[in-house]
Amino acid sequence: MRVTVSRRAHFNAAHRLYRPHWSPEKNEAIFGKCNNPHFHGHNYELIVSVTGEVDPETGYVVDVKILKDYIKSEVEDAFDHKNLNLEVPEFKAKNPTAENIAIVIYNKLKLVLDPHLDLEVTLYETPRNFVSYSGK
Amino acid sequence: MRVTVSRRAHFNAAHRLYRPHWSPEKNEAIFGKCNNPHFHGHNYELIVSVTGEVDPETGYVVDVKILKDYIKSEVEDAFDHKNLNLEVPEFKAKNPTAENIAIVIYNKLKLVLDPHLDLEVTLYETPRNFVSYSGK
Amino acid sequence: MRVTVSRRAHFNAAHRLYRPHWSPEKNEAIFGKCNNPHFHGHNYELIVSVTGEVDPETGYVVDVKILKDYIKSEVEDAFDHKNLNLEVPEFKAKNPTAENIAIVIYNKLKLVLDPHLDLEVTLYETPRNFVSYSGK
Amino acid sequence: MRVTVSRRAHFNAAHRLYRPHWSPEKNEAIFGKCNNPHFHGHNYELIVSVTGEVDPETGYVVDVKILKDYIKSEVEDAFDHKNLNLEVPEFKAKNPTAENIAIVIYNKLKLVLDPHLDLEVTLYETPRNFVSYSGK
Amino acid sequence: MRVTVSRRAHFNAAHRLYRPHWSPEKNEAIFGKCNNPHFHGHNYELIVSVTGEVDPETGYVVDVKILKDYIKSEVEDAFDHKNLNLEVPEFKAKNPTAENIAIVIYNKLKLVLDPHLDLEVTLYETPRNFVSYSGK
Amino acid sequence: MRVTVSRRAHFNAAHRLYRPHWSPEKNEAIFGKCNNPHFHGHNYELIVSVTGEVDPETGYVVDVKILKDYIKSEVEDAFDHKNLNLEVPEFKAKNPTAENIAIVIYNKLKLVLDPHLDLEVTLYETPRNFVSYSGK
């Protein structure tokens, strides 16, 4: 019996979307307001979902306290109240779009979670825009 | 790397559920209060989800501004503040249940979106009742 | 010790905003899309708040089950799945704006509630538009 | 055309996580605050999702009123305002974790629903912790 | 310039409503399902609102981190994952209704907050039932 | 009959809390993570509430479309996707705390709204932290 267990978390960060080798005009045309060189920011809401067998003894797929600790060490401590472009190494060369942030979070959590667990990451950039990634 | 990008939108509309070739008694038995001939209405909340490859340059699966524009032209302009039975051609013969509205929205968006993108439509008729359709 | 006790409820209805003695042009100019003669509709979310002394024995200001029953008989049974303009007597001559619906609900509940209780009604026409009335 | 129809419901209950054949120390180490022998409780939010063909006549996959009645008889009447450990037979020997509660709800609803319908159960133990089970 | 600053928090607890000197029949008649002797429980959502002058230097009415710490020490540590009737001294003789829990929280926070700040406590017992108390 | 009409809006922005004439140590001690010199950001949710008499003809206190336009011109165009410290003149010398942002929004809207309307501004910096200001 495989069950999916999900945990919500959140972090606040500043970012800017742009490509350094593009002209300002092209950056403005593609990224619009998100290209503001002084940055803007979001309250990112994160849902981390892991799928696996239910332990017949504990009734847990995973201890949510342990999942919460991984989210804290891998995501919140790394991203919260940070400028993603300037302070988070993964986005030195990569555009911090919601898509790329979700992929980075997936990759960081995949490294620390039990490899038998399937993982999906859903990231809300705003209440109206969100993305999901499950390593496919 | 395939990521799903979702955008929320909403529209308000009136509707009524009934089958014109059924007796009033059968319509009442099957559709209950939703059969009120004077119509009732809802705030429909819509989530449009598209799945595709992340562009390695922009970091986008799709530009959400373009997705938002398609939702406006195909769904909001067509349905918002309308009587679905009387003013929306797709429901002249088809019952405007949440299921059928979701299928109509899916079909309209599928025509204008890049064919490489997978599409799923989730429609909340109320905060407690919602449906999803992905063309399967 | 005066405490405010609030209960949420909801109803779905169709309506139209217009003044019968105005020209179609003036109705269109003032009410825009809300003037659609074929009606549109909403999921109305309602919060009924009553303020009074806490009974030292029960620890209740009011039994929420009784408050829930009053909301059902006075509001839900009267408005749910109805066309407010055509089927609710209070709006035969009065425009069913959120403001007027809140005042009508206040007046109906005020008649049945213990007169020692203060009353406030908050009505969400959409998640983004809402009104409050407390009889002042 | 297969559509998924979802219905939200909720119930309040008390529970405790522990294994009777473990030492108090092990129960405390594994279940922490959830092991409190005096119980604690939750407002469980439930989403029941059924997937099937849309009836070409009614436009329904399932009549939501019937789905709502099954949720009431199988889940709400059995669990609401109950102590899951002491009063719900399914948890006499099984730990009432969110995972196990979702599996029990799935199994109860599967027995009464049309066998052509696929079923998924999502259970929120808190707004931040939730699980999903679809019989796989 | 007086501004109100609000902070959300939450705790999970079990409780039961009853009066020990009433007959079982009267307890059942007045408290219904809430009288279950085996307890039931809730996810309580709490909003603590303090009103005061904005400090012209910091731009703060109160440092939210300090407010958060008071909520943790006075409310969460005392109530979270507890049985309110059996484990929280304030409810040994007092019925743990939402009204009384809000008053107890108000009184505990009032003792530790700067006396120049006005205080209001809003407590959600469920998403549909909530109460507010501001010491009046 | 005075009714309060509320409208929700939102904007995303970057900011930083600090006092330029304080030492880095004092800024760090008082503002913690919010003092990050590279900025962080939020999705600010705004509720603008105006109170006034209901027009007996239209049934409106205020036309919500006009209120929405004022919020767009005075708040969204000025703050959305901006760095509050660097790009919004009101925060050149004033710390962009939630309290101060709410006061600035109140003052801007007060200048353009009908002076007979009472105004209250509620600003969510995160779903858990919010402030209200009504000019008192």
Side-chain angles (χ1 to χ4, degrees), chain D:
Chain D
M1 288 182 305
R2 291 175 70 77
V3 170
T4 300
V5 174
S6 297
R7 171 78 192 170
R8 272 184 179 272
H10 69 102
F11 57 92
N12 312 319
H15 79 153
R16 173 199 183 186
L17 301 184
Y18 78 115
R19 298 280 69 207
H21 55 284
W22 287 0
S23 70
E25 292 72 25
K26 183 167 179 187
N27 270 302
E28 175 68 22
I30 301 295
F31 296 119
K33 288 190 297 185
C34 299
N35 177 41
N36 182 345
H38 297 295
F39 307 104
H40 63 284
H42 297 290
N43 300 330
Y44 291 94
E45 289 282 320
L46 174 69
I47 300 174
V48 175
S49 301
V50 296
T51 302
E53 294 291 325
V54 179
D55 180 301
E57 186 68 25
T58 60
Y60 279 170
V61 167
V62 64
D63 184 339
V64 175
K65 288 189 299 296
I66 293 173
L67 186 57
K68 184 182 169 185
D69 287 346
Y70 283 140
I71 297 172
K72 181 167 190 318
S73 64
E74 301 305 309
V75 184
E76 292 174 6
D77 289 352
F79 295 179
D80 189 37
H81 281 73
K82 294 283 170 64
N83 183 308
L84 299 179
N85 302 72
L86 302 181
E87 298 180 284
V88 178
E90 286 87 347
F91 302 111
K92 280 280 150 66
K94 196 181 298 198
N95 222 7
T97 59
E99 289 91 328
N100 280 339
I101 302 172
I103 293 168
V104 165
I105 292 172
Y106 176 93
N107 289 337
K108 293 187 77 168
L109 290 173
K110 196 70 185 166
L111 283 180
V112 295
L113 283 170
D114 177 335
H116 293 103
L117 296 170
D118 289 334
L119 174 64
E120 184 175 49
V121 163
T122 298
L123 183 73
Y124 286 73
E125 191 172 79
T126 74
R128 301 197 155 244
N129 295 342
F130 57 101
V131 302
S132 297
Y133 179 63
S134 57
K136 284 167 192 161

Side-chain angles (χ1 to χ4, degrees), chain A residues 44-47 98-99 102 121-133, chain B residues 3-9 46-50 62 64 67 120 122 124:
Chain A
Y44 292 94
E45 289 281 322
L46 174 69
I47 300 173
E99 288 92 327
V121 163
T122 299
L123 183 72
Y124 285 75
E125 192 172 79
T126 73
R128 298 196 157 246
N129 296 340
F130 57 101
V131 302
S132 297
Y133 180 62
Chain B
V3 170
T4 300
V5 174
S6 298
R7 171 79 191 170
R8 270 183 180 271
L46 174 68
I47 300 174
V48 175
S49 301
V50 297
V62 64
V64 175
L67 185 57
E120 184 175 47
T122 299
Y124 286 74

Side-chain angles (χ1 to χ4, degrees), chain F residues 39-91:
Chain F
F39 307 104
H40 64 284
H42 298 289
N43 300 330
Y44 291 94
E45 289 283 322
L46 174 68
I47 300 174
V48 175
S49 301
V50 297
T51 302
E53 294 290 327
V54 180
D55 180 302
E57 186 67 26
T58 60
Y60 279 170
V61 167
V62 64
D63 183 338
V64 173
K65 289 190 298 292
I66 293 174
L67 184 59
K68 184 183 170 185
D69 287 346
Y70 282 142
I71 296 171
K72 181 169 191 315
S73 64
E74 301 304 310
V75 183
E76 292 174 6
D77 289 351
F79 294 178
D80 189 38
H81 280 75
K82 295 286 169 63
N83 184 308
L84 298 179
N85 300 72
L86 300 181
E87 298 182 285
V88 178
E90 287 87 348
F91 302 111

